[in-house]
């Protein structure tokens, strides 16, 4: 049933996102073509030939950048909107009357939204990175072969670099999921009241952030009292061990938050659902 | 709880910000009946239906459907028609049929397609391009194409023209699982009186009457509509009526 919910959610969430993804990639290719053409000798000669050519070139570059930046902004806004609205409309709005009367558990509903929202964020992030990478490398006349060589060289800077990269990706995905679930927990808290739901959700989000910051500060304080900073400085002598401990720490912190946000959201939706 | 009863509510209450929507509702509904949940606006009909569906949690008391508290099992045996459109507007009719077929084991797709066909609705039609009336009819078709044990229909004939009203009532009567029960909430009594086996009158969140329609007619010699008007008569304040 969770698979079916995810399939339904994918169709709901990605129908607009795919268009913006395609538009951004098309614009990226256009930007690359514009800058590749700008780098040609014949183009430079043409530019020197007439003032009109120079003006047209400037207009094309400015227009391309405006459209490119607008698409980037649209992608960021749409991705955030998908994370918030698909949960809010889908489970707490009118669509919730259908979703909450399907014979599935609340955790399945929440998981389907969370997985798809995380995929949307991940997909948009990867696309923005690829797009930026392509444009910047074209502007700087760096070839793909050169980029691949640089990546290979980076991977060999340290023995465990490939492992660190994989761990970093896992922690980044976990971090995205955790951030999505923090929004869900806040929205679930917001629906507990009959009025000013969005306001309470916003307050809950800020409140959760504040509590997490306080916990982090207390952790550092009590950690230093227990001699943790001394242990860390001793550990940093062994770089590999130090890196792995840091990765494990980040993983555990993100995972604990994710589990707590999921449980809070699930408990509220199961026991305190208040669909008006 | 007695599982022979389809619905059992005991001491059920719900309040919103101190405003009481339901109070101390004790109600037992049997199987194989068409039951009218009748009361004026704000009497608690929708609240009761939402609690039975698990969309609202009661403040006090309990309710059980076929012996189980509202949950995954009860959702699999309840077919619910809310008083609003619950479709995502990007969907096509086919998407809805796929969804109902995928999630409800008791959904009869062929029946739903036939009913859509009678109305000239094609599987590829988009929901957002449909009129409000057509959306309501599709929602009704989906709900009545299930062989559910309990149909909870919240104001299915409110705000529709008389022709559509007849279509809706005929669809309900001709398509429900006869071993199941229909609980239909409305304040438009005249139109549904002829199809009811029992009535439940709600006033200010309390059940004030739960009787078989035949018993009422035999004993009182009145139609349900007349009885409703009598029970819920509103006397203007200038004639000595109470402020509610």
């Amino acid at each position: 049933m969770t698979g079916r919910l995810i399939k339904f959610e994918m169709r709901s969430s990605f129908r607009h996102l795919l268009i913006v993804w395609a538009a951004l990639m098309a614009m990226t290719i256009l930007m690359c073509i514009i800058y590749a053409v700008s780098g040609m000798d014949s183009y430079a000669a043409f530019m020197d030939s007439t003032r009109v050519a120079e003006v047209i070139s400037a207009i094309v570059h400015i227009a391309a950048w405006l459209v490119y930046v607008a698409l980037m902004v649209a992608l960021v806004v749409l991705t955030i909107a998908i994370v918030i609205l698909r949960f809010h409309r889908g489970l707490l709005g009118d669509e919730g009357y259908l979703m909450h009367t399907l014979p599935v558990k609340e955790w399945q509903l929440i998981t389907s939204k969370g997985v798809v929202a995380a995929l949307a964020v991940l997909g948009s992030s990867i696309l923005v990175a690829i797009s930026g990478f392509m444009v910047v490398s074209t502007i700087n006349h760096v070839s793909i072969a050169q980029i691949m060589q640089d990546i290979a060289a980076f991977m060999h800077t340290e023995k465990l670099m490939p492992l660190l990269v994989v761990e970093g990706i896992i922690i980044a995905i976990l971090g995205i999921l955790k951030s999505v679930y923090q929004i869900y927990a806040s929205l679930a808290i917001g629906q507990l009241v009959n009025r000013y739901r969005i306001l309470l959700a916003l307050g809950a989000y800020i409140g959760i952030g504040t509590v997490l910051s306080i916990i982090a500060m207390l952790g550092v304080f009590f950690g230093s009292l227990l001699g943790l900073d001394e242990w860390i400085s001793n550990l940093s002598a062994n770089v590999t061990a130090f890196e792995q401990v840091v990765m494990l720490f980040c993983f555990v912190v993100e995972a604990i938050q994710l589990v707590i946000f999921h449980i809070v959201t699930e408990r509220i939706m199961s026991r305190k659902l208040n669909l008006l | 709880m007695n599982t022979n009863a389809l619905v059992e509510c005991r001491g059920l209450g719900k309040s919103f910000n101190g405003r009481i929507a339901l109070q101390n509702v004790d109600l037992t509904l049997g199987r194989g009946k068409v039951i009218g949940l009748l009361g004026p606006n704000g009497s608690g009909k929708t609240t009761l239906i939402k609690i039975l569906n698990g969309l609202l949690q009661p403040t006090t008391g309990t309710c059980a459907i076929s012996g189980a508290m509202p949950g995954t099992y009860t959702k699999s045996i309840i077919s619910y028609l809310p008083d609003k459109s619950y479709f995502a507007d990007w969907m096509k009719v086919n998407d809805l049929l796929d969804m109902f077929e995928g999630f409800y084991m008791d959904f009869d797709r062929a029946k739903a397609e036939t009913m859509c066909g009678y109305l000239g609705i094609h599987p590829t039609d988009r929901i957002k391009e449909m009129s409000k009336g057509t959306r309501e009819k599709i929602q009704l078709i989906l709900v009545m194409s299930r062989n559910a044990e309990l149909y909870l229909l919240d104001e299915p004939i409110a705000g529709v023209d008389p022709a559509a009203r007849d279509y809706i009532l005929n669809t309900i009567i001709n398509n429900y699982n006869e071993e199941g029960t229909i609980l239909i909430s409305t304040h438009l009594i005249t139109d549904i009186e002829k199809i009811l086996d029992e009535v439940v009158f709600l006033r200010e969140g309390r059940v004030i009457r739960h009787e078989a329609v035949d018993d009422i007619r035999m004993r009182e010699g009145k139609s349900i509509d007349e009885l409703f008007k009598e029970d819920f008569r509103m006397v203007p304040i200038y004639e000595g009526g109470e402020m509610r």
Side-chain angles (χ1 to χ4, degrees):
Chain A
M1 287 293 190
T2 312
R4 282 181 193 155
L5 288 170
I6 289 175
K7 190 178 152 198
F8 170 79
E9 195 53 35
M10 293 272 269
R11 293 192 64 191
S12 277
S13 299
F14 280 76
R15 71 207 155 90
H16 289 137
L17 202 55
L18 283 176
I19 296 169
V20 181
W21 281 0
L24 182 65
M25 281 322 287
M27 197 59 215
T28 302
I29 291 165
L30 188 65
M31 291 284 281
C32 291
I33 292 169
I34 289 170
Y35 277 96
V37 170
S38 303
M40 290 177 182
D41 294 340
S42 53
Y43 180 80
F46 172 65
M47 290 297 288
D48 291 341
S49 66
T50 163
R51 173 81 182 144
V52 175
E54 202 177 326
V55 171
I56 290 171
S57 169
I59 290 171
V60 167
H61 278 78
I62 291 168
W65 271 107
L66 283 176
V67 174
Y68 184 65
V69 171
L71 277 171
M72 284 280 193
V73 172
L75 183 59
V76 172
V77 171
L78 188 64
T79 307
I80 294 169
I82 282 172
V83 172
I84 297 172
L85 290 182
R86 280 308 307 149
F87 187 86
H88 191 254
R89 279 193 192 156
L91 294 184
L92 306 176
D94 288 352
E95 282 178 45
Y97 282 79
L98 175 58
M99 301 311 288
H100 287 292
T101 48
L102 295 174
V104 294
K105 304 257 186 213
E106 289 296 330
W107 72 260
Q108 291 174 303
L109 290 174
I110 298 163
T111 303
S112 68
K113 302 277 176 199
V115 167
V116 175
L119 282 175
V121 175
L122 192 66
S124 293
S125 306
I126 290 171
L127 215 68
V128 165
I130 290 172
S131 171
F133 200 63
M134 282 171 70
V135 171
V136 170
S137 58
T138 310
I139 291 170
N140 293 318
H141 308 295
V142 181
S143 67
I144 292 173
Q146 182 63 48
I147 293 165
M148 298 310 284
Q149 276 177 9
D150 290 348
I151 291 172
F154 175 73
M155 285 298 203
H156 287 96
T157 50
E158 223 183 286
K159 194 180 164 192
L160 291 176
M161 188 52 83
L163 176 66
L164 281 174
V165 169
V166 171
E167 287 172 342
I169 290 169
I170 291 170
I171 289 168
I173 293 170
L174 209 58
I176 290 170
L177 262 175
K178 184 263 300 183
S179 304
V180 167
Y181 272 79
Q182 184 176 345
I183 295 172
Y184 289 177
S186 306
L187 289 168
I189 291 168
Q191 66 91 49
L192 291 172
V193 295
N194 299 323
R195 286 192 290 175
Y196 310 119
R197 292 176 153 208
I198 298 292
L199 206 61
L200 179 61
L202 193 63
Y205 187 81
I206 294 168
I208 290 168
T210 309
V211 169
L212 289 176
S213 301
I214 292 170
I215 290 171
M217 281 192 294
L218 288 174
V220 171
F221 175 71
F222 285 110
S224 64
L225 281 183
L226 294 168
L228 202 65
D229 44 357
E230 196 184 333
W231 179 72
I232 289 171
S233 70
N234 289 338
L235 191 69
S236 59
N238 182 343
V239 176
T240 306
F242 178 72
E243 284 168 350
Q244 289 306 307
V245 167
V246 169
M247 285 294 184
L248 182 66
F249 178 76
C250 292
F251 181 86
V252 170
V253 168
E254 295 293 322
I256 288 173
Q257 289 181 73
L258 172 62
V259 169
I260 290 173
F261 291 143
H262 182 87
I263 289 172
V264 168
T265 311
E266 195 275 332
R267 290 289 86 184
I268 291 175
M269 302 289 263
S270 310
R271 299 188 176 186
K272 298 278 179 190
L273 182 63
N274 189 24
L275 212 57
L276 297 177
Chain B
M1 286 195 175
N2 174 17
T3 51
N4 288 327
L6 184 57
V7 175
E8 282 206 292
C9 302
R10 292 288 166 262
L12 203 63
K14 177 72 184 175
S15 59
F16 297 99
N17 293 335
R19 188 184 64 79
I20 293 169
L22 278 182
Q23 52 182 326
N24 204 26
V25 170
D26 288 322
L27 186 64
T28 303
L29 305 179
R31 294 168 190 271
K33 296 176 190 302
V34 180
I35 302 168
L37 183 62
L38 313 176
N41 291 330
S43 57
K45 303 186 295 291
T46 297
T47 304
L48 177 59
I49 286 179
K50 282 187 184 177
I51 289 174
L52 293 175
N53 267 313
L55 298 176
L56 283 176
Q57 309 305 312
T59 315
T60 58
T62 58
C63 69
I65 297 96
S66 212
M69 307 287 274
T72 313
Y73 169 68
T74 64
K75 287 171 188 179
S76 71
I77 60 167
I78 293 177
S79 193
Y80 169 50
L81 182 75
D83 58 349
K84 55 185 76 183
S85 173
Y86 57 29
F87 300 139
D89 60 4
W90 61 269
M91 297 177 97
K92 292 177 184 170
V93 174
N94 239 344
D95 297 322
L96 286 165
L97 295 172
D98 289 345
M99 190 176 192
F100 268 65
E101 193 176 31
F103 285 101
Y104 297 112
M105 302 301 283
D106 57 10
F107 181 67
D108 185 343
R109 185 176 183 129
K111 190 191 220 179
E113 284 176 339
T114 306
M115 282 199 268
C116 284
Y118 286 147
L119 289 174
I121 299 167
H122 297 282
T124 52
D125 288 352
R126 283 183 183 279
I127 298 296
K128 71 175 171 189
E129 289 164 5
M130 290 176 181
S131 68
K132 183 171 170 275
T134 308
R135 284 182 190 208
E136 284 172 355
K137 282 174 190 151
I138 287 187
Q139 204 155 294
L140 179 73
I141 286 171
L142 291 168
V143 167
M144 297 314 300
S145 295
R146 288 184 56 199
N147 289 310
E149 287 187 34
L150 177 63
Y151 298 85
L152 295 174
L153 312 180
D154 194 1
E155 304 276 7
I157 52 172
V160 297
D161 60 74
R165 210 170 280 174
D166 282 347
Y167 171 81
I168 290 167
L169 290 175
N170 285 333
T171 305
I172 293 169
I173 287 307
N174 294 325
N175 293 288
Y176 80 102
N177 166 21
E178 291 187 10
E179 288 165 16
T181 285
I182 298 179
L183 184 65
I184 179 167
S185 91
T186 187
H187 54 271
L188 302 167
I189 320 269
T190 322
D191 295 292
I192 66 156
E193 183 167 347
K194 57 184 182 290
I195 66 168
L196 298 179
D197 297 316
E198 291 179 12
V199 288
V200 176
F201 279 13
L202 271 183
R203 180 161 64 197
E204 293 170 1
R206 288 179 186 274
V207 174
I208 59 166
R209 187 188 288 272
H210 176 201
E211 280 181 273
V213 169
D214 289 343
D215 291 350
I216 292 174
R217 286 197 188 115
M218 280 182 64
R219 195 182 62 246
E220 311 264 351
K222 292 172 188 163
S223 69
I224 303 302
D225 190 41
E226 287 169 329
L227 194 67
F228 182 85
K229 284 174 183 162
E230 210 172 277
D231 279 358
F232 294 100
R233 183 186 307 275
M234 290 179 73
V235 182
I237 293 167
Y238 58 83
E239 287 180 13
E242 284 177 32
M243 181 88 107
R244 291 190 191 279

